Each structure stands twice: as C-alpha cells, then as structure tokens.
Amino acid sequence: MAAYDKADLERRMAGSIESLKGDLSGLRTGRASTSLLDPVTVEVYGAQMPLNQVATVSVPEPRMISVQVWDKMNVGPCDKAIRSAGLGLNPIVDGTTLRLPIPDLTEERRKELAKLAGKYAEDARIAARNVRRDGMDSLKTDEKKGVYSEDERKKLETEVQKLTDKTIGEIDAAATAKEKEILGK
C-alpha cells in the first residue's frame, strides 16, 4: 500500500481554501450579513451556544442586522455576547429583538481589516504548503520502499506542485477579492 494519496492531498488543500473562505466571510465590509455573527457564542442554560441556536438572525435592511431572540430570558446574555465579541456592534434592544445598525467603516478600520484578510490568506498558504510537504515526504518514503521508481516519483512530485500552485492561486484570488470589497474599490 502506497503512503502517497492524491485524493487526500486534494481534500486537504480544498480544506485550506474552505477555511479561508470561512474566515473571510466573518470580516465586516460595511454591509450587513448574517455570517458576521457566526463567531458569537452566548452563555445560556449554563452552556456556551452559537447565537443562531438561541435566536433568528436576519438582514431586513442593507445596513441593519436583526436578532430575534426566542426566549426573552436570553435577551440580556445575547446583547452582552454581541457587545463583547469585538465586532464593533452596539445592539439596540427592542423587546425580544436586538437591532444592530452597521456603522460606516473608517479608512483606518478598512486598512486593519484588509491586513487581517492578508494574514488569513497567508495562514491558508502555509497550510497548503504543509500539505505539499507531506505529499513530497510520502513520495520519497514510497520511493525508498520501492513502490515508485525515481522517474515516477518526480512525475508525481510535479503533480503535487501543480495542485499546490492551483490552490495558492485560489487563495490569492479569494483574498484579493475580499481586500477590494473591504477597501471599497
């Protein structure tokens, strides 16, 4: 059995892209989006729960997020969780509904967010390179075991490198698109 598994490498590289897209979707661009509140967890019923498991999150207007809390006892904890999440949002409590106006981004904040998008992209590139390294190592191990000849190993290494280049290209494209969206260009 060969240790080299192309399908596993492709799956892991695709995972680094999906992880990046998840990170980027949480960055605020000045437009309301329900994914903005995905990282928020609320302490209710003695446990930490994602906000979307104790309330309905919707976007009634382009610059407003509405959080309809199901149990009125959880309004306070939801308000506190959103305020302390570091998103720069200040909920307006209206009965069991929390309204979150999305403030305009300052130029300074836009640059910070663009920098953060770049950091997320670099982390994803590192993950892709680590997958490449694992693939190259397993090919060398397989060659020593006699599974592949040197020529076969070199051909497969070229495949691994092409997969890595394609993945990094997708990472760069996603990061560039997000940076443009953040900077409003």
Side-chain angles (χ1 to χ4, degrees):
M1 174 64 199
Y4 171 71
D5 181 355
K6 182 179 178 187
D8 181 54
L9 292 179
E10 287 173 342
R11 181 188 55 74
R12 289 170 59 200
M13 287 208 185
S16 68
I17 294 170
E18 287 309 306
S19 174
L20 171 68
K21 287 180 178 173
D23 289 343
L24 291 179
S25 75
L27 289 181
R28 196 158 65 86
T29 58
R31 284 198 310 269
S33 165
T34 58
S35 63
L36 196 57
L37 297 177
D38 286 351
V40 178
T41 58
V42 185
E43 189 171 331
V44 289
Y45 313 119
Q48 288 287 341
M49 296 177 78
L51 182 65
N52 62 9
Q53 289 186 8
V54 294
T56 303
V57 180
S58 62
V59 179
E61 301 169 34
R63 301 187 64 77
M64 176 78 68
I65 298 175
S66 174
V67 179
Q68 181 67 46
V69 184
W70 300 327
D71 182 346
K72 67 175 176 262
M73 289 177 18
N74 295 335
V75 172
C78 287
D79 178 39
K80 183 178 167 202
I82 293 168
R83 287 179 191 277
S84 62
L87 299 170
L89 299 174
N90 294 311
I92 299 164
V93 181
D94 182 12
T96 59
T97 304
L98 299 174
R99 287 181 292 135
L100 295 105
I102 306 296
D104 279 329
L105 291 175
T106 62
E107 191 59 34
E108 188 179 315
R109 182 68 178 139
R110 286 181 191 276
K111 286 179 180 160
E112 282 174 26
L113 290 171
K115 228 181 252 179
L116 190 57
K119 180 190 172 302
Y120 288 158
E122 185 53 33
D123 291 347
R125 283 187 214 101
I126 289 168
R129 290 186 199 117
N130 288 341
V131 173
R132 177 189 62 194
R133 186 194 61 226
D134 292 348
M136 297 293 195
D137 290 350
S138 63
L139 284 170
K140 288 177 182 144
T141 304
D142 287 351
E143 183 190 8
K144 285 181 183 150
K145 290 180 184 171
V147 177
Y148 298 120
S149 68
E150 185 179 350
D151 289 343
E152 287 173 310
R153 175 185 58 85
K154 286 184 178 176
K155 191 180 101 191
L156 289 170
E157 281 181 348
T158 304
E159 260 183 40
V160 171
Q161 185 59 50
K162 281 182 183 167
L163 178 62
T164 306
D165 293 343
K166 178 179 163 267
T167 302
I168 287 180
E170 288 180 40
I171 288 169
D172 290 344
T176 302
K178 188 65 175 188
E179 285 175 11
K180 280 183 181 170
E181 189 183 335
I182 289 169
L183 296 171
K185 291 181 181 168

